[in-house]
């Protein structure tokens, strides 16, 4: 399916993460590597204990350094990685140039950020850990996930009326 | 090796591995590490509507749905085959504060008192699963990303907007964990 300019603009709207791959990543086979990357990441999330509701409470009650340590180390590792990619012009697996998006500031980051923060402390899960909680056997997290998808849908429905 | 993975991990090890997910996805195919977008792609793919926000070619982002499916499988593998033999340790101060709010079971990663299928049709379930989940889905999209997209990928790329978002995630969480949650748990118990 050919992507039009307008549908591409919509895809880029309201997200920091959009993705272009010029080289064709062929169907199932091309995407299986992301399934594997996801499996590894899911294992890391569980072993890092950040899928725990208790760890989230500790963090927001300032009663443990654990989560700050995990997130802080992850950010430092990310900064060094991106700096290295830019500095040495590291290419993708397919030899493409790696591109970075700029995300302009808008009020959504404040309002949406506060709303997500409230939900994060209630569910004890940001979106990644939510999937890992389900996999770990917490079946009730499926309801949280469905409700999160509904929340995203309602945002999409109301987005043009909300302050941005 | 297997025994080593089963041990509880130091936070720095976990942090480095999570941080390395950013370059891994970039090198695998120019993909930006961000998870809340998957909710939007599900809306675009599965819920027919004429809402402009969902009128885009979600197939271009299908890698993201493979990735989150992988997280689910990874969660299953880790919980069933790689979990710590010892009990999971949380701060005493958190434990005592939560006990006062009626949380009794500290043996799992989530409190059984709340995250229990018997609670699905109760007020507790409505608040913790339905309301909580809704705020996560609505808020992340309104903010344009979640902990992975903003706090890890965005901050790693030194984006000001991601710093604003991350600070607001934290403020929302502080208000929620210290004011809203104690209030709700107090009413429910």
């Amino acid at each position: 399916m050919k992507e039009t300019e307008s549908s591409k603009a919509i895809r880029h709207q309201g997200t920091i993460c959009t993705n272009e791959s010029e080289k064709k990543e062929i169907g199932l086979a091309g995407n299986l590597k992301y399934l594997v990357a996801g499996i590894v990441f899911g294992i890391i999330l569980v072993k890092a204990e950040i899928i725990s509701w208790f760890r989230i409470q500790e963090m927001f009650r300032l009663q443990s350094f654990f989560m700050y340590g995990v997130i802080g180390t992850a950010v430092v590792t990310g900064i060094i990685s991106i700096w290295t990619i830019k500095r040495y012009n590291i290419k993708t697996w397919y030899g493409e140039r790696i591109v970075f998006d700029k995300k302009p500031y808008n009020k959504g980051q404040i309002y949406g950020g506060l709303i997500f923060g409230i939900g994060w402390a209630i569910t004890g899960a940001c979106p990644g850990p939510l999937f890992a909680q389900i996999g770990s056997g917490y079946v009730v997290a499926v309801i949280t996930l469905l409700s999160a998808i509904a929340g995203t849908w309602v945002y999409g429905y109301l987005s043009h009326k909300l302050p941005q | 090796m297997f025994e080593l993975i089963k041990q509880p991990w130091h936070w720095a090890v976990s942090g480095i591995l999570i941080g390395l997910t950013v370059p891994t996805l970039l090198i695998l195919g120019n993909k930006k590490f961000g998870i809340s977008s998957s909710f939007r792609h599900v809306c675009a793919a599965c819920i027919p509507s004429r809402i402009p926000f969902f009128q885009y070619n979600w197939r271009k982002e299908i890698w993201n749905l493979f990735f989150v499916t992988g997280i689910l499988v990874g969660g299953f593998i880790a919980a069933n085959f790689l979990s710590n033999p010892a009990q999971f340790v949380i701060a005493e101060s958190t434990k005592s504060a939560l006990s006062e709010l009626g949380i009794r079971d500290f043996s799992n990663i989530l409190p059984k008192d709340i995250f229990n299928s018997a609670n699905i049709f109760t007020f507790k379930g409505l608040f913790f699963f339905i309301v909580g989940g809704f705020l996560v889905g609505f808020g992340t999209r309104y903010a344009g990303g979640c902990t992975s997209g903003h706090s890890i990928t965005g901050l790693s790329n030194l984006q000001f907007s991601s710093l604003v978002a991350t600070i607001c995630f934290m403020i929302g969480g502080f208000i929620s964990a210290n004011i809203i949650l104690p209030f709700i748990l107090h009413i429910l118990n």
Side-chain angles (χ1 to χ4, degrees), chain B residues 61-72:
Chain B
E61 302 282 350
I62 201 162
W63 77 276
N64 197 272
L65 299 176
F66 278 84
F67 187 70
V68 297
T69 308
I71 296 178
L72 203 141

Side-chain angles (χ1 to χ4, degrees), chain A residues 44 47-48 66 69-70 73-74 77, chain B residues 4-5 7-20:
Chain A
I44 295 170
K47 292 303 299 182
F66 193 94
V70 173
T73 316
T77 308
Chain B
L4 201 67
I5 295 175
Q7 298 292 314
W9 292 7
H10 188 273
W11 52 259
V13 174
S14 306
I16 290 170
L17 292 172
I18 291 169
L20 287 176

Side-chain angles (χ1 to χ4, degrees), chain B residues 2-181:
Chain B
F2 196 64
E3 287 306 309
L4 201 67
I5 295 175
K6 281 180 115 176
Q7 298 292 314
W9 292 7
H10 188 273
W11 52 259
V13 174
S14 306
I16 290 170
L17 292 172
I18 291 169
L20 287 176
T21 310
V22 175
T24 304
L25 290 174
L26 286 169
I27 290 169
L28 278 181
N30 239 335
K31 303 294 186 254
K32 277 86 194 174
F33 173 52
I35 294 167
S36 61
S37 301
S38 63
F39 301 156
R40 186 187 183 197
H41 307 324
V42 171
C43 290
C46 304
I47 309 175
S49 71
R50 304 209 62 79
I51 298 171
F53 191 69
F54 301 120
Q55 302 287 318
Y56 61 94
N57 185 2
W58 56 270
R59 284 179 188 84
K60 283 230 160 194
E61 302 282 350
I62 201 162
W63 77 276
N64 197 272
L65 299 176
F66 278 84
F67 187 70
V68 297
T69 308
I71 296 178
L72 203 141
V73 176
F76 176 83
I77 295 172
N80 290 284
F81 307 110
L82 302 171
S83 60
N84 307 339
Q87 210 187 335
F88 153 86
V89 187
I90 65 161
E92 277 307 319
S93 47
T94 307
K95 221 173 183 172
S96 65
L98 292 174
S99 321
E100 279 174 32
L101 294 169
I103 307 284
R104 303 271 169 266
D105 186 341
F106 294 90
S107 58
N108 294 287
I109 54 165
L110 281 94
K112 281 265 163 66
D113 316 76
I114 297 170
F115 293 87
N116 185 324
S117 50
N119 281 336
I120 292 177
F121 295 105
T122 64
F123 188 76
K124 227 178 210 174
L126 176 73
F127 179 73
F128 282 94
F129 315 145
I130 310 283
V131 175
F134 188 90
L135 295 176
V136 169
F138 187 95
T140 49
R141 201 68 282 118
Y142 196 176
C146 61
T147 338
S148 50
H150 271 310
S151 310
I152 306 219
T153 310
L155 286 185
S156 297
N157 195 24
L158 310 175
Q159 295 290 301
F160 174 72
S161 56
S162 295
L163 183 64
V164 173
T166 303
I167 291 170
C168 293
F169 298 164
M170 298 308 292
I171 296 173
F174 287 131
I175 295 171
S176 184
N178 294 288
I179 301 170
I180 304 176
L181 270 183

Side-chain angles (χ1 to χ4, degrees), chain A residues 29-78:
Chain A
N31 280 300
L32 278 179
K33 59 183 182 292
Y34 301 112
L35 183 78
V36 175
I39 293 173
V40 174
F41 185 66
I43 293 173
I44 295 170
L45 283 179
V46 175
K47 292 303 299 182
E49 299 176 358
I50 62 177
I51 71 163
S52 166
W53 186 85
F54 292 113
R55 287 270 176 257
I56 307 298
Q57 304 307 316
E58 276 181 348
M59 166 174 71
F60 287 131
R61 289 170 165 273
L62 297 173
Q63 288 165 335
S64 165
F65 177 73
F66 193 94
M67 284 292 293
Y68 294 98
V70 173
I71 298 175
T73 316
V75 172
V76 172
T77 308

